[in-house]
Amino acid sequence: MSFKKYQQYPNVQNFKREWADKTITHAPIYCSVDLRDGNQALINPLTVEQKLEYFKALVKMGFKQIEVSYPSASDTDFNFTRKLIEEDLVPDDVAIQILIPAKKEWIKKSVEAMSEVKNGIFHLYNPTNEFQRRVVFQKSDDEIIQMAIEAMQYLVELTKDFKGKVTYQYSPESFSQTTLEFAVKICNEVINVVKPTVENKMIINLPNTLEACMPNVYADRIEWMCKNLHNREALIISVHPHNDRGTSVASAELAVLAGADKVEGTLFGNGERAGNLDIINFAFNIYSQGIDPKLDLSIIDEVKAMYEEKTQILVHPRHPFVGDMIFTAFSGGHQDAIKKGIDFYRETNSQSWNVPYLPIDPKDIKRGYEKVIRVNSQSGKGGASFIISEFLGVNMNKDEAIKFGLVIKEESDRLKRELKKDEIIELYKNYLSK
């Protein structure tokens, strides 16, 4: 292995950042790209019927923007888009978004897929980084800019008579590998074509198509773009972080501080390579800070079951906030602190959650406390006494808890496994009869 073949990602120079002094105060606009970006990453892409079930789950959660397809890529995507529109399956307050490459024949097919849409986002893109311009497309900077201009002009022309709400979105697709000077130049040219207004905004999407920089550098890039784009008040700035470095959630959070209005991502981060931004993780993060996430997170186990069935991908048991074991503590010290924290929360009727080791109340997502404290040979008196208190209503004193904790530890060591709740209760009954 040779680290010398890799180059340091450049910082934004001569730039005074402001995002570092800000805090997130409200949820951004969420756009689920599960049915397009996530779908194209599956070994077995979703059928029209599966996409529809998935779409309904996203709507139930509260997503108001959903990228449903890449209509020029497959008949399945085209037909699914038509089904949503023709059968009037999209709620009035939900916008469906499609992805469109900057080629006239594909723009035309994509517009056909969205005919009669009530509320549509037409997401146009073309690659913009220097390597792709020079090696893949073999075009000059001006030719790449002209490609974007002509494509957007054509898209605007084809959709000018649409009766429904039409919103244009543009992505310099390889923004993460594009110099800021070129990115802002091409975006401003496209903005000049659309001529957005405060009443009828357009979206500029700035993707970490390949996550290659630290989250703070991405935030700097987003803030720099926000300060240099034309007609900022008429723009919705969107980010689309991938997870190649494993920091897409951090990148999204800092991008929102830096001025992003919208974040694109998927349930549980599904997507090509290391995946997309995990919108569920993002939403729970701001929820845990006392901010309305604008998504119904109380049904997350229902959504998780749907996701696993449709994608055939299991959510990791340690997935933040959602994994089956995310609230689980085996450590004796952790268990003792959790038990005392929950007892204090209940006894004082506290309106503020502040229980050690639990970022949110498991009952917010319909998880019982039974899964919070699980007992094995690593556990101490706190775990066993919590189970007895929670499910038998018996509060042992300190000496009793220590003695019974030793009984539990010996039994777990003997069996070389975790003890179940019912086993602990039975051992307690036997302990009392001695």
Side-chain angles (χ1 to χ4, degrees):
M1 295 179 68
S2 175
F3 61 87
K4 293 182 179 179
K5 62 186 174 184
Y6 303 107
Q7 297 178 346
Q8 188 98 34
Y9 195 98
N11 287 334
V12 180
Q13 300 297 319
N14 303 315
F15 169 71
K16 181 174 173 54
R17 69 183 57 82
E18 297 178 41
W19 62 261
D21 293 323
K22 297 181 179 179
T23 57
I24 296 176
T25 57
H26 61 276
I29 301 165
Y30 300 108
C31 180
S32 160
V33 294
D34 290 79
L35 299 176
R36 196 280 302 170
D37 204 335
N39 184 55
Q40 72 186 41
L42 298 177
I43 296 172
N44 298 307
L46 303 174
T47 63
V48 169
E49 292 72 22
Q50 288 174 321
K51 274 196 164 194
L52 184 56
E53 288 184 54
Y54 206 123
F55 178 82
K56 289 177 178 178
L58 293 170
V59 169
K60 185 176 180 180
M61 275 202 80
F63 283 94
K64 300 304 180 186
Q65 294 188 9
I66 301 172
E67 189 166 87
V68 296
S69 68
Y70 193 143
S72 63
S74 72
D75 288 341
T76 299
D77 273 22
F78 185 94
N79 293 336
F80 175 62
T81 311
R82 293 309 309 147
K83 182 180 183 68
L84 290 175
I85 295 169
E86 290 173 359
E87 298 182 21
D88 198 19
L89 299 174
V90 184
D92 291 343
D93 63 344
V94 173
I96 58 172
Q97 179 172 303
I98 61 168
L99 187 65
I100 312 170
K103 287 192 174 183
K104 282 193 171 183
E105 62 272 25
W106 292 345
I107 295 171
K108 187 173 186 297
K109 186 174 180 64
S110 301
V111 171
E112 289 172 359
M114 291 282 272
S115 176
E116 304 301 323
V117 69
K118 290 181 181 178
N119 189 357
I121 300 173
F122 295 77
H123 181 186
L124 182 76
Y125 77 93
N126 68 317
T128 54
N129 75 68
E130 189 277 333
F131 184 87
Q132 286 178 293
R133 299 197 307 265
R134 174 169 51 86
V135 177
V136 179
F137 289 91
Q138 298 180 351
K139 291 181 180 294
S140 68
D141 291 3
D142 288 343
E143 287 174 320
I144 291 291
I145 292 173
Q146 197 59 32
M147 176 192 294
I149 290 172
E150 291 178 0
M152 185 56 81
Q153 287 173 334
Y154 188 58
L155 176 59
V156 170
E157 177 64 26
L158 291 182
T159 54
K160 66 179 182 180
D161 294 326
F162 271 43
K163 292 185 175 62
K165 179 176 172 57
V166 171
T167 302
Y168 302 106
Q169 175 166 320
Y170 173 70
S171 288
E173 185 263 340
S174 46
F175 171 74
S176 48
Q177 278 71 46
T178 302
T179 65
L180 289 174
E181 291 73 16
F182 187 81
V184 79
K185 185 176 182 181
I186 195 168
C187 287
N188 281 334
E189 291 289 353
V190 174
I191 291 167
N192 291 339
V193 172
V194 175
K195 296 179 176 59
T197 64
V198 174
E199 294 75 26
N200 192 18
K201 296 183 179 184
M202 78 169 291
I203 303 167
I204 295 293
N205 186 54
L206 303 170
N208 246 2
T209 308
L210 175 72
E211 187 184 37
C213 64
M214 292 175 66
N216 63 300
V217 177
Y218 186 54
D220 282 353
R221 289 172 62 86
I222 299 304
E223 185 172 334
W224 189 94
M225 290 291 289
C226 286
K227 290 177 175 178
N228 287 278
L229 286 165
H230 293 167
N231 208 2
R232 173 64 181 94
E233 68 279 2
L235 303 177
I236 294 169
I237 303 301
S238 171
V239 291
H240 181 109
H242 276 259
N243 197 44
D244 301 275
R245 299 182 75 253
T247 58
S248 60
V249 174
S251 293
E253 289 181 328
L254 298 192
V256 169
L257 293 180
D261 307 296
K262 168 182 171 178
V263 295
E264 296 189 342
T266 60
L267 300 182
F268 311 111
N270 176 43
E272 291 186 295
R273 306 182 310 280
N276 288 277
L277 164 68
D278 182 343
I279 282 189
I280 299 303
N281 195 164
F282 181 99
F284 267 112
N285 279 1
I286 66 171
Y287 176 74
S288 71
Q289 300 298 302
I291 298 168
D292 183 351
K294 300 298 184 181
L295 292 176
D296 185 355
L297 300 178
S298 70
I299 61 169
I300 195 59
D301 280 345
E302 173 189 329
V303 171
K304 175 172 167 275
M306 179 283 302
Y307 166 85
E308 291 183 331
E309 178 194 350
K310 298 293 180 289
T311 65
Q312 297 300 296
I313 298 172
L314 297 179
V315 174
H316 195 282
R318 298 292 186 186
H319 179 285
F321 301 100
V322 179
D324 288 341
M325 297 179 70
I326 184 53
F327 300 120
T328 301
F330 288 108
S331 160
H334 287 199
Q335 292 178 345
D336 187 56
I338 290 171
K339 178 184 185 305
K340 289 173 179 174
I342 290 177
D343 286 346
F344 181 82
Y345 178 73
R346 288 171 170 171
E347 290 164 4
T348 61
N349 292 315
S350 176
Q351 299 302 304
S352 177
W353 181 257
N354 187 23
V355 174
Y357 305 111
L358 298 181
I360 66 170
D361 186 345
K363 294 202 171 177
D364 287 355
I365 57 171
K366 300 179 175 66
R367 298 280 181 94
Y369 291 140
E370 179 180 350
K371 290 186 176 182
V372 172
I373 289 181
R374 291 165 57 177
V375 177
N376 62 17
S377 60
Q378 301 296 307
S379 307
K381 68 181 188 308
S385 61
F386 177 85
I387 297 296
I388 299 306
S389 171
E390 190 72 17
F391 299 101
L392 281 185
V394 177
N395 292 309
M396 292 183 279
N397 63 40
K398 186 174 181 180
D399 288 342
E400 290 173 331
I402 291 172
K403 290 177 183 177
F404 184 60
L406 291 174
V407 172
I408 294 299
K409 189 179 286 289
E410 288 172 3
E411 182 69 1
S412 183
D413 268 333
R414 184 183 72 81
L415 296 174
K416 295 180 173 56
R417 64 168 173 80
E418 171 190 3
L419 297 180
K420 304 298 184 186
K421 177 192 73 175
D422 292 342
E423 292 176 314
I424 295 169
I425 291 173
E426 188 63 30
L427 283 168
Y428 180 69
K429 290 177 179 178
N430 293 337
Y431 169 76
L432 289 178
S433 66
K434 291 181 180 179

